[in-house]
Amino acid sequence: MKKNFLLILIILIPMMIFANSQDEQIMILKKTFYRGNLQDKIQVISEAATMEENLEEIFLSSMDFVVNYGDILKTDDSMIQLAKITVENLDKVDKSKVSQFFIDLFPLYDSEIIRNSILNSISKLQINDSKINILLKDYGFSLLENPQEEPMELLVSTMEQIDDSSFFPVLFKYAASTNVPESVRKQSENVISGFVERYKTDMVSIIEKGSLSEKHLALKIVLNNEKNSDFLRAEIAEKALQVSIIYIGDTNQKNELIDFQLSAIRELRRVSWTRSADLVVSFFNFARSEYENESLAEDDYIEIISCVEELATSKASSILSDYLAYFNSQTEQGISCSESVVLAVINALGNLGNKTAFDNLLYVGYLSYSEEIIEASRVALAGLKF
């Protein structure tokens, strides 16, 4: 029994000595922090950051100090260093206290060093606080006054980690601005693209109300992410095509408008979005006008005719048959027509196989078309369903 008691003492005594020495060390750190100068305080926080014990009291004291004396010392290098090392070592401090600390500290110091440290800590500690998010959004807009790659990239990364829908205006502004570094634009696009479902309402609003370049960018972001569902992609493409028909903008942007429209209708065709049949017919009338005004390339126009064939099947036969009738009338009057376009219309009517096109297809054989067109009309006639 005596031997067991001695053995316990041998084990416990060093532990008690160690515990006392630890308590003394912590007390020394506290006294040094309260009594010391800025360099002493920096040393204390650096030491406390390496210890396993919960030294929340010391970190809270440092948090209070850099906030309470920030107005006086916010440009002092040592104060900035103390604030930075404090911000970077708040793992063991209650998150609610850390959030309030960041809310107080962020607008107090203009130092990029401190703000970057706060952004890193927000991501590291996974803090999602509505008041902090407002600060970050305002900070994001302020960076546009003097765009710089490092703080912008860090802010976008932090916003991605937090994943709050209120950040969309900043992210899209970065993605759309030509003044923002290219790396930041791409990064912002990627963040939006990854959360398109969340930002769907915002994207639709941009397509409806934004400038043409913003509309086009919003559509690209949605379509460039293959992970987005076909349903979502088609919905956004349909909205884009609808808006493009009534868009009234700078005539110098005509090429971009056409690219925007083609991107939308190509996606509708890829998804076989027949729900857009009426819209596609309306767009065909618009495209025809653009083609006749020489604003739309013939190859693109022929592609649109194919889209009409595939997406507006219930109405395509009627509209394309009427279009062939127009070509017949032109040819009858000796007015030349594009052979490629006429062939595209005839082939589409043949693929559709609707008997309503019979008379106009038959009449092709009596006019001075090329043999290729006449032969195409015969093939199309043979494919009609009666």
Side-chain angles (χ1 to χ4, degrees):
M1 175 72 78
K2 211 170 197 179
K3 287 182 180 179
N4 290 339
F5 180 70
L6 288 172
L7 183 61
I8 293 172
L9 282 178
I10 290 171
I11 296 171
L12 287 178
I13 287 173
M15 291 177 65
M16 293 169 66
I17 293 172
F18 179 73
N20 287 334
S21 66
Q22 287 281 65
D23 290 342
E24 288 177 7
Q25 185 181 3
I26 292 171
M27 185 57 65
I28 291 171
L29 286 175
K30 290 180 180 178
K31 287 180 179 179
T32 303
F33 183 86
Y34 292 128
R35 295 175 179 176
N37 58 29
L38 284 174
Q39 288 302 319
D40 293 330
K41 288 175 168 46
I42 292 169
Q43 187 60 43
V44 167
I45 296 302
S46 299
E47 181 69 22
T50 65
M51 298 175 68
E52 295 182 1
E53 287 75 17
N54 189 346
L55 300 175
E56 183 180 65
E57 181 184 342
I58 291 179
F59 286 107
L60 288 174
S61 298
S62 185
M63 290 159 63
D64 288 340
F65 183 83
V66 296
V67 169
N68 292 336
Y69 294 94
D71 278 337
I72 301 171
L73 299 170
K74 62 185 177 182
T75 59
D76 184 274
D77 290 342
S78 295
M79 187 64 154
I80 290 172
Q81 187 180 355
L82 175 61
K84 177 180 183 293
I85 197 169
T86 301
V87 167
E88 292 173 345
N89 294 282
L90 298 177
D91 311 58
K92 296 177 182 178
V93 178
D94 182 82
K95 273 191 181 181
S96 63
K97 295 175 183 176
V98 175
S99 294
Q100 188 56 52
F101 172 53
F102 288 164
I103 291 168
D104 295 335
L105 191 68
F106 199 91
L108 187 59
Y109 288 77
D110 293 329
S111 167
E112 187 176 307
I113 293 173
I114 293 178
R115 288 181 169 177
N116 287 353
S117 295
I118 291 174
L119 292 176
N120 280 322
S121 291
I122 288 172
S123 297
K124 176 184 173 184
L125 300 174
Q126 297 183 330
I127 294 174
N128 190 343
D129 182 288
S130 59
K131 291 182 180 178
I132 288 180
N133 294 349
I134 291 172
L135 280 176
L136 296 184
K137 187 167 68 171
D138 292 343
Y139 177 56
F141 282 124
S142 72
L143 289 176
L144 286 166
E145 296 173 8
N146 182 26
Q148 296 180 36
E149 191 171 42
E150 183 181 352
M152 283 182 152
E153 284 185 348
L154 185 54
L155 177 62
V156 172
S157 295
T158 304
M159 288 179 166
E160 182 177 18
Q161 290 292 321
I162 296 174
D163 181 21
D164 188 290
S165 58
S166 68
F167 294 145
F168 178 83
V170 175
L171 292 170
F172 193 83
K173 194 72 175 177
Y174 282 10
S177 176
T178 55
N179 295 326
V180 170
E182 177 68 17
S183 63
V184 178
R185 293 208 302 272
K186 291 296 182 185
Q187 183 188 16
S188 301
E189 281 186 33
N190 291 337
V191 173
I192 295 172
S193 179
F195 298 108
V196 165
E197 289 283 359
R198 177 187 289 273
Y199 295 142
K200 178 182 173 182
T201 301
D202 297 293
M203 298 294 270
V204 169
S205 179
I206 291 291
I207 286 174
E208 288 179 336
K209 303 173 184 177
S211 66
L212 179 57
S213 59
E214 289 173 339
K215 295 176 194 293
H216 202 176
L217 175 61
L219 180 63
K220 283 180 181 177
I221 290 174
V222 174
L223 300 188
N224 286 346
N225 187 349
E226 294 179 358
K227 293 181 180 178
N228 291 329
S229 68
D230 283 350
F231 186 86
L232 172 65
R233 293 158 67 100
E235 272 196 317
I236 298 297
E238 183 177 18
K239 174 58 69 174
L241 190 62
Q242 180 185 46
V243 167
S244 76
I245 296 173
I246 59 174
Y247 176 77
I248 300 174
D250 191 338
T251 54
N252 294 327
Q253 295 180 299
K254 182 69 71 176
N255 289 338
E256 183 170 9
L257 175 61
I258 290 170
D259 288 343
F260 177 55
Q261 293 168 330
L262 289 172
S263 295
I265 199 165
R266 283 168 181 158
E267 183 62 21
L268 295 176
R269 183 185 190 182
R270 186 192 71 80
V271 179
S272 298
W273 196 249
T274 54
R275 195 179 83 173
S276 61
D278 289 343
L279 175 62
V280 169
V281 169
S282 297
F283 177 61
F284 172 73
N285 293 327
F286 175 88
R288 178 179 171 180
S289 174
E290 292 295 285
Y291 170 69
E292 291 174 353
N293 290 331
E294 300 184 351
S295 298
L296 181 63
E298 184 168 277
D299 287 347
D300 293 332
Y301 185 48
I302 289 171
E303 183 181 1
I304 291 168
I305 291 171
S306 296
C307 291
V308 172
E309 171 200 333
E310 294 178 25
L311 297 173
T313 51
S314 61
K315 299 184 177 181
S317 296
S318 175
I319 193 170
L320 292 179
S321 181
D322 289 344
Y323 196 25
L324 180 57
Y326 164 78
F327 284 133
N328 288 345
S329 174
Q330 294 289 94
T331 302
E332 194 172 29
Q333 297 174 52
I335 302 172
S336 63
C337 304
S338 167
E339 185 165 311
S340 297
V341 174
V342 175
L343 277 172
V345 172
I346 289 173
N347 290 335
L349 288 170
N351 292 334
L352 290 166
N354 193 306
K355 63 182 180 181
T356 57
F358 177 81
D359 289 342
N360 290 320
L361 285 171
L362 182 64
Y363 196 41
V364 168
Y366 297 97
L367 299 172
S368 57
Y369 284 114
S370 70
E371 185 57 38
E372 184 180 5
I373 288 179
I374 293 172
E375 178 59 28
S377 70
R378 290 179 185 142
V379 173
L381 281 167
L384 298 184
K385 302 177 183 67
F386 290 92

